[in-house]
Amino acid sequence: MKLRELAHGRAGDKGDTLNVSVVCLDARVYPHLVRHLSAERVKAHLQSIVRGPVRRYELPRIGALNFVLEHALGGGVTRSLALDAHGKSISAALLDMDVDIDIEPPA
């Protein structure tokens, strides 16, 4: 199933660093995402965009994972020629990832 069936995402930028949060739609999904959504997997999924390291931060109280992607915005808003220099669409690209989780998506 697609990650978007289990979570929603938000993205923001700071220079050439992109912040992407994946927030579970249902708290029961969070432990599964912690096991299956690693920084390495996110970097592999976004390999055409991310040029630097990816770090993952766990936020269990709100059922979210936050990923910090370095060198992901073509130099940052003032330097990038990309149509989405702020990287807002990257959260949608991440939510397109297939996840193999044995749980029913939230209604």
Side-chain angles (χ1 to χ4, degrees), residues 58-102:
E58 297 177 11
L59 303 158
R61 289 183 151 204
I62 61 171
L65 296 172
N66 186 60
F67 296 91
V68 177
L69 298 75
E70 294 184 26
H71 306 293
L73 295 172
V77 174
T78 59
R79 301 180 79 196
S80 177
L81 297 176
L83 293 175
D84 181 18
H86 292 279
K88 298 298 184 185
S89 64
I90 306 304
S91 60
L94 181 57
L95 293 177
D96 195 46
M97 177 189 289
D98 288 314
V99 290
D100 187 23
I101 296 176
D102 191 22

Side-chain angles (χ1 to χ4, degrees), residues 6 13 20 28 32-33 41 46 66 70-71 76 81 104:
L6 303 170
D13 67 291
V20 180
R28 295 174 299 150
H32 298 279
L33 289 186
R41 186 140 188 250
L46 299 172
N66 186 60
E70 294 184 26
H71 306 293
L81 297 176
E104 286 294 315

